[in-house]
Amino acid sequence: MKAMLDLVARHKSGQACGVYSVCSAHPLVIEAAFVHALDAGVDVVLVEATCNQVNQDGGYTGMTPEMFRDFVHAIARKVGLSDERVLLGGDHLGPNPWTGLAAEDAMAKAEVLIQQYVAAGFRKIHADCSMSCADDPVPLPEDVIARRAARLIKVAETTQQRVGGEPCVYVIGTEVPVPGGAAEDLPELEVTTPDAAIATIEAHRAIFAEEGLSQAWPRVIAVVVQPGVEFDHHKVIDYDRVKAIRLSAALDDEPHIVFEAHSTDYQTPGALKALVEDHFAILKVGPGVTFALREALWALDAIEREWIGQDRASGFRRIAIERMKADPRNWAKYYHAAGAELEFDLQYSFSDRIRYYWPDPQIAAAQERMFANLTANPPPLPLVSQYLPGANAALRDRALSPDPARLTIAHIGATLEAYRAACTPEPEYVDV
């Protein structure tokens, strides 16, 4: 993946540049990423799917890697973004969906997962074997993690050689946040130590050599560490560059490896910029953009009720909450409150478990009715400005009508703009 290799090379040469990775399977979020890229002049958009979202069994989206690729490219074509500007990545690819099985059985399934991702054109591969399977010790020794990652990367290399296309680039690392977010309130976070980061790299480098993967090592572009950022249901742990200063310098002698930062959702624009400057050059965002989606949809529900009236409104927000309560499997192990506190968490928690419910047929039908109502009966600008002022202003700047889909996309775009700005080096000014 030349674009990623070039980016890392520029960063290692001293440019404070980076790339943000949009980790979502929601069509409006992906469309927002592409519209924002076109409007802001972003060269390439990195879209990633996790092993839980997309796998050979369908994942929770119901999509295989090939289906997800076609889904993403169809949205890109809809907005006029060429396929060449869309980079596909696989996040947390490994045995995580099958940890209830014995390790060998889970790894066999992970091999199929990797094969399908690479065959479908995914070229940024995060090999994550940090989780224990049914017959594994807890925690899993780093040597075992690295050997399993190398096993999957060998499958990726073989598959790429068979199907052709650009060689894969790889992300490694053992200090990896759990896919889907924290299940409980978080204590104070410990920043990865420089020694731990270097030890992870050295362990993988040695095992790559043992496994005949030396040709792939220069395409290991990032290691996942904990820079001290995370979020739970109600709070965000903000980046503190003073605490990460030693870790930031740990890769100075590594010519082709930067840090990849997970769980950067809800960080401030200044914190995101500091992360990139401190060599956390790949920023992952998932719940942060789906949280923005929920904000926009709740705002549209409020506009609809005020403008259309309760008797003709879709009841979108009410239906979404009812469906979550009727089917608690995607939030029950995360939210433990009751009554009004549970009602709050279902809607507003930073972990954003509601994102798993948008494909529900009843919720999707209610959203469609809400969008149709507001399209057929456009609300006045003062009401739109009351609930979605930023999105309304962005659309007016481009002389676009504030229809529901555009408002939603523009609101998500504001979150993405903070990432774009963080990943873009400041222009150099030369005195003349």
Side-chain angles (χ1 to χ4, degrees):
M1 190 180 279
K2 186 175 184 300
M4 292 298 297
L5 292 170
D6 288 348
L7 172 86
V8 171
R10 286 191 288 118
H11 187 95
K12 300 299 286 190
S13 73
Q15 292 187 41
C17 59
V19 64
Y20 56 93
S21 168
V22 178
C23 303
S24 176
H26 196 286
L28 282 173
V29 170
I30 294 173
E31 184 171 350
F34 294 160
V35 169
H36 173 261
L38 288 169
D39 291 342
V42 176
D43 291 334
V44 294
V45 184
L46 176 58
V47 177
E48 297 203 47
T50 71
C51 60
N52 291 328
Q53 284 175 323
V54 174
N55 59 46
Q56 62 265 41
D57 301 322
Y60 69 75
T61 64
M63 286 189 277
T64 64
E66 184 177 8
M67 292 165 65
F68 185 80
R69 176 203 63 200
D70 293 344
F71 164 74
V72 169
H73 283 167
I75 296 172
R77 287 190 289 272
K78 171 186 171 184
V79 303
L81 190 74
S82 67
D83 288 354
E84 292 74 25
R85 293 175 65 181
V86 178
L87 308 181
L88 292 175
D91 196 23
H92 294 287
L93 300 189
N96 188 69
W98 306 286
T99 52
L101 302 176
E104 188 55 38
D105 294 334
M107 284 299 294
K109 283 184 168 289
E111 288 184 336
V112 175
L113 177 76
I114 292 284
Q115 287 172 357
Q116 291 198 7
Y117 265 80
V118 175
F122 292 72
R123 287 296 182 268
K124 178 181 177 288
I125 302 297
H126 171 211
D128 179 9
C129 298
S130 59
M131 61 291 301
S132 296
C133 298
D135 56 349
D136 280 330
V138 180
L140 203 60
E142 183 162 333
D143 177 74
V144 175
I145 294 171
R147 289 189 182 280
R148 289 180 183 176
R151 173 177 169 179
L152 296 184
I153 288 171
K154 184 177 287 189
V155 172
E157 289 286 284
T158 301
T159 304
Q160 182 275 325
Q161 291 163 13
R162 175 174 57 82
V163 301
E166 285 189 290
C168 299
V169 297
Y170 299 106
V171 177
I172 59 172
T174 57
E175 298 204 17
V176 184
V178 176
E184 304 290 347
D185 290 343
L186 289 167
E188 185 74 16
L189 283 179
E190 292 293 331
V191 175
T192 301
T193 66
D195 288 346
I198 293 168
T200 293
I201 292 170
E202 291 303 327
H204 282 79
R205 192 189 335 253
I207 289 168
F208 270 51
E210 288 178 23
E211 297 295 329
L213 288 169
S214 296
Q215 82 287 348
W217 183 253
R219 288 181 275 112
V220 174
I221 60 167
V223 57
V224 180
V225 293
Q226 176 51 268
V229 302
E230 187 53 280
F231 57 92
D232 61 22
H233 304 325
H234 304 140
K235 69 177 181 291
V236 179
I237 299 177
D238 292 318
Y239 179 59
D240 182 346
R241 69 192 319 174
V242 173
K243 293 181 178 179
I245 189 167
R246 292 178 57 245
L247 175 61
S248 173
L251 299 186
D252 286 353
D253 295 330
E254 294 292 339
H256 57 80
I257 301 177
V258 296
F259 292 119
E260 177 168 286
H262 290 220
S263 299
T264 68
D265 313 76
Y266 313 113
Q267 293 292 308
T268 66
L272 293 173
K273 189 72 172 173
L275 279 162
V276 174
E277 291 172 351
D278 293 347
H279 312 309
F280 303 95
I282 304 174
L283 304 177
K284 308 298 285 292
V285 57
V289 283
T290 53
F291 188 89
L293 167 69
R294 197 272 313 152
E295 287 180 324
L297 293 174
W298 261 214
L300 291 169
D301 176 88
I303 292 170
E304 183 195 26
R305 283 185 282 114
E306 286 204 44
W307 184 239
I308 305 295
Q310 294 277 13
D311 57 332
R312 292 192 297 134
S314 63
F316 170 75
R317 180 172 173 172
R318 171 184 55 79
I319 290 169
I321 297 169
E322 288 174 353
R323 292 300 301 143
M324 289 188 78
K325 290 179 177 178
D327 181 11
R329 58 186 156 175
N330 289 312
W331 57 262
K333 73 175 183 179
Y334 291 82
Y335 304 152
H336 306 298
E341 292 183 12
L342 175 61
E343 194 94 359
F344 181 90
D345 284 344
L346 290 175
Q347 299 179 74
Y348 300 114
S349 167
F350 280 137
S351 58
D352 194 49
R353 306 305 298 180
I354 198 171
R355 71 186 185 273
Y356 294 94
Y357 292 85
W358 298 134
D360 177 275
Q362 293 184 44
I363 297 175
Q367 180 189 315
E368 188 175 343
R369 286 196 302 275
M370 178 173 69
F371 278 29
N373 281 343
L374 293 174
T375 300
N377 302 277
L381 285 180
L383 187 58
V384 177
S385 185
Q386 171 65 36
Y387 289 101
L388 289 166
N392 181 49
L395 293 177
R396 289 182 64 197
D397 277 344
R398 303 203 299 273
L400 296 172
S401 62
D403 69 61
R406 282 180 179 153
L407 284 166
T408 303
I409 287 166
H411 185 76
I412 298 167
T415 295
L416 294 170
E417 175 56 20
Y419 282 86
R420 184 211 62 81
C423 292
T424 305
E426 297 294 336
E428 295 183 7
Y429 294 97
V430 179
D431 291 334
V432 293

